[in-house]
Amino acid sequence: MLTQLLRMPLIQLSKSSWAQGRLTGWEWSRRAARRFVAGEQLADALEAISALNAKGINVTLDHLGENTSTLEEAAQAAAEVARALAVIHSAGLRANVSVKLSQLGLAVSEDVCRENLRVVLRAAQAAASFVRIDMEDSASTSATLRMVRWAHEQGFGEVGVVLQSYLYRTERDARELAAEGIGVRLCKGAYLEPLTVAFAKKAAVDANYDRVARLLMKAARAQGAHPGSADGVIPPLTALATHDPVRIANAQAAAAELGLPQAAVEFQMLYGIRRDLQEQLVGEGWPVRVYVPYGARWYPYFMRRLAERPANVWFFVSNYFQ
Ligand code: FDA
């Protein structure tokens, strides 16, 4: 109940440039953000990746930024991701990248975004890596799916996308993407969506998560259940992003029932959340990948993490008094 009450104002606030200007300027809020964000520089992120890799955890790296409104910013964002891919490759780290299309210029135009995505995909190809396209709010779902299909048509095979179990359309999208052999990361969804497109009740979002996870695993089984790459860079077709122990247990039971090997299902979690569960899953032999964000534009990402859990708001406020 408290989560629902706080969620709406916090997600609204995540879009406020006034609040962004304030919070990102204060030392104590930057300190609080460090719980969920590896740091502002690529070097900070590389340190976080190395520490996770040492624990047997793979990484997907996210250079923070979204809703870019100029050509220059969108091109710079693509160049930064390309740089990160090259550095990860030469350092031999077990990591790939995640990108948001609104950072690559989707709000400017699909053409601009496509050309910036091409820069990222070429860099990924040169680094024998993989690109996951994050899913943003429902206004961009169709454009995002168009873009991932375009990438596959262009011969960029190592690119996957995210689907959100709170959207009614997700079951259909998952069936279609699975039939096309496009890898999916399934999450619950982190944006504010109207009842016309998304389930409002947590129980319905959870039930849809289990249903879609099973559907994806069944399709992966039918396609030969490819595991991820041995170097920890390319994920298997099915990636299940959640910190919810019930969703994880249900997925594990479904995988066993379908005869899907552990190596063909990757569990994914966010940096700084449920580290205990991340390590437990690794200990049990499941592939685990942690989403590591870095960069100066941490504000909207951080606000979405606060919105997910009321206790995080108290954690945030307590930083002021430290
Ligand atoms: P749920 O919210 O039910 O939480 C289950 C448990 O996890 C909680 O009880 C708590 O213990 C822990 N937990 C969850 N969130 C927490 C937090 N912020 N702080 C502390 N504990 C927390 N969304 C999206 O719309 N598009 C995307 O592309 C992605 N990408 C993505 C990648 C990865 C790797 C992950 C793990 C998540 C995303 N998400 C996302 C976010 C996702 O949609 C969702 O908002 C969060 O993962 C929280 O949902 P859970 O599945 O963890 O369940």
Side-chain angles (χ1 to χ4, degrees), residues 135 164 188-190 202 242-243 270 273 305 308-309 312:
M135 191 58 83
Q164 300 149 321
K188 291 189 189 177
K202 180 172 163 45
T242 181
H243 316 89
L270 299 176
I273 300 181
R305 302 294 77 81
E308 279 156 4
R309 201 159 177 252
N312 291 346

Side-chain angles (χ1 to χ4, degrees), residues 279-300:
E279 289 179 29
Q280 183 193 318
L281 288 170
V282 170
E284 292 167 5
W286 295 95
V288 175
R289 190 174 303 275
V290 165
Y291 186 102
V292 174
Y294 78 99
R297 301 192 171 183
W298 47 263
Y299 172 80

Side-chain angles (χ1 to χ4, degrees), residues 6 49 121 136 148 175 182 203 211 231 258 267 280 320:
L6 279 172
I49 298 174
L121 294 172
E136 300 177 70
V148 74
R175 278 186 204 289
I182 297 179
R211 193 163 42 240
D231 63 4
L258 292 163
F267 289 104
Q280 183 193 318
Y320 177 74

Side-chain angles (χ1 to χ4, degrees), residues 3 7 35-36 60 98-100 132-137 161-166 185-191 202 206 209 240-245 247 267-274 277 289-292 301-302 304-309 311-312:
T3 309
R7 192 165 175 263
R35 177 177 160 197
F36 301 110
T60 186
S98 289
V99 295
K100 285 190 173 45
R132 179 78 66 184
I133 302 183
D134 285 347
M135 191 58 83
E136 300 177 70
D137 61 21
V161 72
V162 178
L163 292 179
Q164 300 149 321
S165 73
Y166 63 18
R185 170 204 291 155
L186 181 65
C187 68
K188 291 189 189 177
Y191 297 82
K202 180 172 163 45
D206 288 348
Y209 193 100
L240 302 178
T242 181
H243 316 89
D244 181 341
R247 307 285 73 71
F267 289 104
Q268 299 194 348
M269 297 191 204
L270 299 176
Y271 180 76
I273 300 181
R274 293 302 312 261
L277 191 51
R289 190 174 303 275
V290 165
Y291 186 102
V292 174
Y301 177 88
F302 176 62
R304 288 197 294 275
R305 302 294 77 81
L306 294 191
E308 279 156 4
R309 201 159 177 252
N312 291 346

